[in-house]
Amino acid sequence: MRRRGTERRAVVLGTALALFLAPAPSAQGQGEPRPTPEEAAQDPSETPAQPAPEDDVPPPPAPHYLGSEEVSQRITGWLGTGLAERIELGTSAGGRPIEALQFGGAGATPLSERPTILLIGGLDGVSLAGSEAVLRVTRELLAAPDQLPPNATFIAVPWANPDGLSSWLDSFVGGGRNAGSVDLDHDGKKDEDGPDDLDGDGRILELLLPDPDGPWTRAEDDRLLRAARPGDAPRFRLAREGRDDDGDGRFNEDGPGGVVPDLNFPVGWRGPWTGVPSGRWPLSESESRSLADLAIDRRTAVVLLFQGNHGGLAVPGGLDPAGPVEGGAGPLALPLPSDLVVFEEVGRLFAQATGRGANGVRTLREARGVERPGAAIDWFYVALGALSFELAAWGPEVENGTRSPKEARFAADANLDDDPAAEPVTRWASATDRAWARWLDNTRGGVGFVDWQPVDLGDGRRGFVGGWLPRTRLNPPPEVLPVAVEGLADFTLEVARGLPRLEIELRELKREPSGVVHLKARIRNEGILPSGVGPLGDAGGASLTLRVPPGVQLVVGEEKSEFGHIAGLSASPDCEWILVAPEGAVLQLVARSPWLAPVEREVRP
Amino acid sequence: MLLAALVLCPLLNGAALQEENPPQDPPVAAEEESGEPAETVQPPEPAWPDYGTAATWAELEAALRTLANARPDVASLESIGKSRGGRDVWVLTLSDRFVGDPAGKPGLVVLDYHAPGEGAGASVALEIARLLVEESRNEPTLDAILQGYAVYVVPCLDPDLRAPASADPAAERVEYAGNFPIGWRPDSLLPGSGAYPLSEPRTLALAEFLATRANVSILLGFGGEGRTAEGLDAWEVPAADRARFDVLYASGAVVPEVENWHEVPSGGSPFDYGYRALGMYPVILAQGSLPRSGAARADWVRSATRRALGYVGRLPRVSFGEPEVERLGPGLWRLDVPFDNHGLLPTLSELGRRRFATGEIEISVSGATVVACSHRPDGVGSFSIEANRRTSFRVGQIGAGETTELCLIVEGQSGDVLELEGTSARGGRAARTITLP
């Protein structure tokens, strides 16, 4: 079933074209074919360019990012097919609905009882490409419902942070914060120093402020910055473009907006006094709390958080375990060593499905290059035991043949840095910055970066405005979206197919004439993925329970045996019991695990 | 002991405050207003809980209602939320409303959450409320507390624990003391912590309540079986706060002792949240010496009550000192006015200063044109100019027992009357009238 490489892409494209071009299944009324719900909900940004057969046929709309209304229409369209059900997640801080839907393959088990795969888009409020990815994945999965595994439920939340995404889509402000209001600089006022369009070009870019103590200096590539070292000059501070509206000497440090929901989760949470827009307490925001409650309510097995611009798959570990202690609780070392194998396995599935290089296991902090306190995937993993990832559809090596193994490219940079014959290391920007510069120069012809231009800040102060244009680094140009989301549906499907499937295997069952019964059984996991991940906690991992009916005496053995998590394609240790049972007695074995509904098997000795 | 504690704190900058907010007459009874004798059918008063044993939820609730009904001028009862079992989480606010809004006075929260067999915190909280309501008319120090301060009593954060049967067995799994945000650890690592911080209605209710009480400096609770989160690293406690903790926690021979909260890492407790997220000082009365029952238990409750009330006198409390007025020239004056904190606690903890720049003390002036304002913390160093031709300015925070010197340059004429008002979120409000000579 798995499709790989060119063949896979061809099939995907063929499926997409078939969806566009297939006639409606039934013509109604006067014979005028009505569009299928799928067609009605089609994403114009994914429409392949078709030559217009007639002059009066309008050209397809230009690729673009969907806004909240279009996303809502898309979801409504899917709900109309009868293949999906709406899930109520309430509203954002700004009163926008948080839309979600669930679906799954045909099967006897209700969707709410199956292991659940959460597909969350743009919780960080800036990753519009992540939202588009969830839409694309949902569309592809719903397009082939017979391919969906019967033992899994998908819940898609494409616009998980509607306030932040709306602000970013409309005007590139807010930094992903919801529509709440926060006193970020602790001066007793809220939202009083936000960005401004200093040079009147209609865009908010970045502002370089000359500062002898600033942390940045210009790199060899003078578009880029690098960390300043002693003796470097000139030095700069970096801010969003704008004035010092509140006159406190800082620029744009308290703009409009509230909390970034992705930083509002409990594990590794840092309070707002650290400068993180993290909320007054963990899960204080409706966006994050509704997701948390949903995940607690379900058998949440996998969380795929589509956001970021590292182009890969990041695993839990938003904080440096050796980093500073905040609030008394030191950061946890994530992921747990016992789970590395499964994270690596999923990484391989990702590489196979997308054609992107396998990076091994990169933590969230490593992938993003900065700490990510209070990250959602850390909580989903540690508190709920869900296999959790941040999946970045976009990255510097996603477009146009730059899908060679990422590590190799970065290693080349590292070699350059380490070569004593090369330029001094201090002249170079970070490897990530250089990767983006390469993408810009090699793929976009250098268009997408505004060179730093002097600007008057008043009171005799001057700064420089410039930086990356919108739809370059954080999100791809719209026309690149189809490339950025390619293969993600296949990956999601492969993960779903790999979910654990537990069976109770009878290893021995023998009844002697005296009525003594020897019973030996174990749990076998037929799935690729383990029966669970994360800390075991009180609930434990997988367990096997023998229910002893009245009239049967358990002589040797425990009624309940716990095994921890059972690895994929493996089995638990054997459990053995000796019982005294009358003829015709019926015993029952029950296998339990964190993600699955209990599995039962009758035993008639 | 109470007197000793209160002597440390001139209870009010009383004269000035009372000039600004003259006490009003207490509410008259219905029969006095109408002139007609009112039909008074008083329901029989429920028996007061016996401190020799732990009170039930019904007894506690009835006692709180009795106190609130007895003196609505000083006691108001509000529900801040519901338990999982649907029972109200009550807070009794004790403060004389005719001498100012309780939210504008230095505040102390008394909190208990233990099960009936785990201590006597609820009894102590109730006795504090009873003393302030019933004895304050006879005991001036108690009356002074009501006039100058706000005491919030939360005698039972978990009503279900004291009810006959808990409505939700799942609730019993989550331990109240581990479900608060700071230092919280997931249930999978520290069983009983809950799926996320504030997952319980009662903990969320308390967090909301505390977060909206900017006037509270001390969160007073009662010790129990400690929860120590494995893997917690050392707490960050600034040296200045350590010094305050040493003062607060010095027990001497007094019973009960006070726990050294800052030296025992726990994580996820309301005290962690109060100190680290809100800048409140935790005070935890140890219950190791609590007799199991009987008269000895009741004696312990009364002793603990006096000890708890003594902490009111340690709260920060601001006031203006004697001003010096100097004529600089025609129509131009210099006023030097000390602004004091009489409490044994600063107007904000050191950790709070680092974390929350908000809540600075604000000085406002009316009655003359202020040309320039400046202040010098603790009378040391040079003055810093804070405002020019403004009517209000901020002077940061004031340490325990310290003074900020205010220097005002004003334009006015002889006989003009200046009104100075100083407002500290945690140190209360002070006023001073100055007539230009």
Side-chain angles (χ1 to χ4, degrees):
Chain A
M1 184 60 208
R2 186 179 299 167
R3 302 164 300 208
R4 291 192 175 87
T6 310
E7 179 191 356
R8 176 187 55 75
R9 291 176 193 167
V11 171
V12 170
L13 181 59
T15 304
L17 284 172
L19 279 167
F20 281 112
L21 302 177
S26 64
Q28 297 182 358
Q30 301 302 312
E32 185 68 24
R34 294 175 59 186
T36 64
E38 188 63 36
E39 289 169 332
Q42 192 61 53
D43 179 357
S45 71
E46 297 168 1
T47 305
Q50 300 283 337
E54 304 288 347
D55 287 345
D56 58 349
V57 176
H64 67 287
Y65 284 93
L66 300 189
S68 61
E69 287 190 9
E70 289 171 293
V71 171
S72 183
Q73 289 168 6
R74 180 68 49 85
I75 290 174
T76 301
W78 285 325
L79 293 170
T81 65
L83 297 173
E85 303 168 6
R86 183 183 294 281
I87 288 185
E88 299 293 339
L89 286 182
T91 57
S92 67
R96 295 180 174 88
I98 305 169
E99 306 232 41
L101 74 166
Q102 66 174 346
F103 54 93
T109 309
L111 291 178
S112 61
E113 296 296 320
R114 303 181 190 179
T116 296
I117 299 176
L118 281 180
L119 311 172
I120 303 170
L123 189 62
D124 65 359
V126 296
S127 293
L128 295 161
S131 295
E132 296 288 338
V134 173
L135 291 169
R136 170 66 173 255
V137 168
T138 303
R139 187 175 73 81
E140 288 195 21
L141 294 181
L142 283 175
D146 56 324
Q147 300 292 310
L148 299 178
N151 63 331
T153 296
F154 300 88
I155 294 181
V157 192
W159 261 46
N161 178 2
D163 295 349
L165 292 168
S166 291
S167 296
W168 199 252
L169 179 67
D170 295 343
S171 49
F172 305 101
V173 296
R177 294 156 64 194
N178 66 14
S181 191
V182 175
D183 176 16
L184 270 183
D185 55 354
H186 310 300
D187 64 352
K189 302 170 195 160
K190 294 177 178 175
D191 305 344
E192 80 287 355
D193 192 359
D196 311 282
D197 179 12
L198 289 177
D199 53 6
D201 65 353
R203 296 181 295 226
I204 304 289
L205 298 178
E206 289 180 300
L207 176 64
L208 267 186
L209 295 155
D211 182 344
D213 299 319
W216 299 104
T217 190
R218 303 286 277 270
E220 170 70 12
D221 180 339
D222 65 4
R223 294 173 298 185
L224 307 179
L225 303 175
R226 63 171 172 80
R229 290 185 169 191
D232 281 339
R235 288 174 174 236
F236 303 94
R237 279 186 291 139
L238 189 62
R240 292 278 283 164
E241 179 182 348
R243 287 177 289 274
D244 176 15
D245 297 308
D246 57 358
D248 65 354
R250 292 180 288 172
F251 286 73
N252 315 308
E253 79 286 354
D254 192 359
V259 174
V260 175
D262 186 42
L263 304 174
N264 185 232
F265 281 78
V267 172
W269 178 82
R270 287 183 179 159
W273 50 85
T274 61
V276 178
S278 55
R280 57 181 178 158
W281 53 60
L283 301 182
S284 59
E285 306 305 299
S286 56
E287 298 91 341
S288 49
R289 186 127 180 173
S290 61
L291 280 177
D293 286 336
L294 172 68
I296 290 171
D297 194 44
R298 298 303 187 99
R299 300 180 187 279
T300 302
V302 179
V303 176
L304 298 177
L305 190 52
F306 291 79
Q307 61 183 26
N309 66 341
H310 47 81
L313 204 58
V315 305
L319 296 185
D320 180 358
V325 174
E326 165 59 30
L332 298 165
L334 300 178
L336 301 180
S338 54
D339 292 328
L340 285 176
V341 171
V342 64
F343 281 115
E344 286 171 354
E345 174 61 26
V346 177
R348 278 192 288 275
L349 293 178
F350 179 74
Q352 289 167 2
T354 63
R356 304 185 193 186
N359 292 322
V361 173
R362 285 197 302 168
T363 64
L364 185 60
R365 179 180 63 86
E366 291 166 341
R368 286 194 171 243
V370 294
E371 287 199 313
R372 191 89 180 150
I377 66 166
D378 283 1
W379 180 78
F380 283 120
Y381 171 62
V382 175
L384 296 191
L387 188 57
S388 308
F389 300 89
E390 179 177 270
L391 197 167
W394 183 230
E397 310 200 341
V398 170
E399 190 187 14
N400 287 352
T402 56
R403 286 171 178 249
S404 57
K406 193 181 189 93
E407 287 304 309
R409 298 186 65 83
F410 279 90
D413 289 330
N415 290 339
L416 182 63
D417 287 347
D418 294 340
D419 182 359
E423 295 287 340
V425 64
T426 55
R427 297 182 60 183
W428 296 93
S430 71
T432 302
D433 280 347
R434 279 176 288 158
W436 281 109
R438 259 197 315 275
W439 165 76
L440 194 72
D441 295 338
N442 299 342
T443 309
R444 315 297 296 182
V447 177
F449 191 96
V450 175
D451 288 333
W452 302 101
Q453 301 294 328
V455 64
D456 184 10
L457 299 173
D459 295 335
R461 300 187 64 177
R462 285 167 68 83
F464 300 89
V465 169
W468 296 87
L469 283 176
R471 310 269 191 273
T472 54
R473 189 165 168 164
L474 279 179
N475 291 286
E479 67 273 16
V480 184
L481 270 175
V483 175
V485 301
E486 188 179 332
L488 300 184
D490 284 356
F491 165 66
T492 304
L493 197 54
E494 288 303 315
V495 171
R497 288 172 175 155
L499 284 172
R501 296 190 303 279
L502 301 190
E503 295 176 359
I504 298 172
E505 184 182 9
L506 284 188
R507 306 270 287 161
E508 182 180 351
L509 178 60
K510 186 169 59 181
R511 186 172 188 279
E512 297 176 4
S514 62
V516 173
V517 175
H518 295 259
L519 173 62
K520 187 194 292 185
R522 66 181 182 180
I523 302 174
R524 173 165 286 283
N525 178 7
E526 298 291 344
I528 296 172
L529 298 177
S531 62
V533 294
L536 289 171
D538 265 3
S543 67
L544 185 59
T545 302
L546 174 67
R547 287 187 187 151
V548 181
V552 175
Q553 185 181 357
L554 176 61
V555 180
V556 175
E558 301 291 330
E559 285 195 18
K560 181 178 180 183
S561 301
E562 297 184 343
F563 312 110
H565 302 310
I566 302 174
L569 302 176
S570 66
S572 72
D574 285 336
C575 299
E576 294 188 60
W577 299 272
I578 296 177
L579 308 102
V580 178
E583 198 164 347
V586 180
L587 309 173
Q588 198 163 38
L589 288 167
V590 183
R592 288 190 172 83
S593 64
W595 298 343
L596 305 176
V599 176
E600 300 184 1
R601 177 167 180 173
E602 280 188 356
V603 179
R604 297 173 184 271
Chain B
M1 183 61 210
L2 174 65
L3 280 172
L6 292 174
V7 163
L8 293 171
C9 163
L11 276 172
L12 292 173
N13 185 19
L17 258 180
Q18 292 194 12
E19 279 174 18
E20 294 301 306
N21 302 290
Q24 299 174 23
D25 292 333
V28 292
E31 58 182 298
E32 294 173 25
E33 273 189 334
S34 64
E36 306 255 337
E39 280 190 37
T40 54
V41 180
Q42 298 289 342
E45 282 203 2
W48 194 260
D50 173 11
Y51 296 147
T53 58
T56 65
W57 168 242
E59 289 172 328
L60 278 177
E61 189 174 46
L64 292 170
R65 288 188 190 281
T66 298
L67 293 174
N69 291 334
R71 288 198 61 190
D73 55 325
V74 299
S76 68
L77 189 62
E78 65 171 316
S79 171
I80 59 171
K82 299 271 189 186
S83 68
R84 280 190 183 270
R87 297 175 180 86
D88 285 298
V89 178
W90 293 113
V91 174
L92 189 67
T93 301
L94 298 152
S95 186
D96 191 335
R97 281 162 180 72
F98 297 115
V99 195
D101 180 359
K105 300 176 184 179
L108 175 145
V109 171
V110 180
L111 164 70
D112 188 52
Y113 56 81
H114 293 291
E118 294 178 352
S123 299
V124 174
L126 200 58
E127 177 63 2
I128 288 171
R130 190 198 65 80
L131 274 181
L132 289 172
V133 169
E134 294 187 351
E135 307 293 336
S136 57
R137 284 181 167 147
N138 304 320
E139 196 171 332
T141 50
L142 296 175
D143 188 50
I145 288 176
L146 291 173
Q147 290 190 46
Y149 299 90
V151 177
Y152 304 94
V153 170
V154 190
C156 183
L157 187 62
D158 196 347
D160 296 347
L161 282 177
R162 290 175 183 269
S166 177
D168 183 359
E172 295 173 1
R173 285 195 62 248
V174 178
E175 292 181 23
Y176 157 82
N179 192 234
F180 282 82
I182 308 296
W184 175 87
R185 291 243 155 166
D187 205 50
S188 56
L189 298 175
L190 193 61
S193 302
Y196 51 75
L198 307 181
S199 60
E200 298 306 295
R202 61 195 191 279
T203 54
L204 181 60
L206 182 67
E208 295 269 13
F209 172 75
L210 294 177
T212 53
R213 293 302 182 279
N215 59 324
V216 171
S217 286
I218 293 180
L219 178 58
L220 188 145
F222 301 89
E225 202 166 305
R227 288 165 49 87
T228 300
E230 188 180 344
L232 279 181
D233 292 296
W235 292 99
E236 178 204 356
V237 180
D241 283 348
R242 283 186 182 277
R244 290 300 100 195
F245 284 131
D246 290 342
V247 171
L248 285 173
Y249 299 166
S251 286
V254 181
V255 173
E257 293 185 338
V258 180
E259 293 183 358
N260 287 326
W261 168 82
H262 61 301
E263 292 176 357
V264 183
S266 54
S269 82
F271 306 105
D272 302 330
Y273 172 69
Y275 176 61
R276 299 186 174 280
L278 303 175
M280 299 173 179
Y281 287 98
V283 172
I284 301 175
L285 301 185
Q287 300 194 85
S289 60
L290 175 69
R292 294 183 67 86
S293 61
R297 186 181 189 275
D299 288 343
W300 187 96
V301 167
R302 293 187 189 95
S303 176
T305 297
R306 291 287 169 173
R307 171 128 215 196
L309 276 173
Y311 280 100
V312 175
R314 306 186 183 199
L315 294 171
R317 164 118 229 131
V318 294
S319 68
F320 288 106
E322 278 300 314
E324 291 181 8
V325 182
E326 178 187 357
R327 183 171 179 273
L328 299 176
L332 193 65
W333 307 82
R334 170 180 173 147
L335 281 64
D336 288 291
V337 190
F339 192 61
D340 309 313
N341 172 16
H342 297 286
L344 291 184
L345 293 176
T347 53
L348 183 60
S349 69
E350 179 60 27
L351 192 67
R353 288 191 204 204
R354 294 180 186 180
R355 295 188 164 183
F356 331 109
T358 53
E360 284 188 84
I361 293 167
E362 186 161 309
I363 305 290
S364 62
V365 186
S366 62
T369 301
V370 181
V371 178
C373 310
S374 64
H375 69 98
R376 184 166 61 174
D378 204 22
V380 179
S382 58
F383 281 99
S384 61
I385 296 175
E386 292 294 329
N388 194 354
R389 290 195 179 275
R390 291 184 191 172
T391 57
S392 66
F393 56 104
R394 293 177 178 177
V395 297
Q397 305 290 348
I398 309 179
E402 294 182 354
T403 298
T404 283
E405 293 183 7
L406 305 174
C407 178
L408 311 176
I409 310 297
V410 302
E411 291 174 347
Q413 304 302 321
S414 289
D416 285 354
V417 177
L418 274 70
E419 305 285 348
L420 268 64
E421 185 173 281
T423 306
S424 160
R426 292 169 199 234
R429 176 176 161 270
R432 186 87 201 189
T433 300
I434 300 172
T435 304
L436 297 179

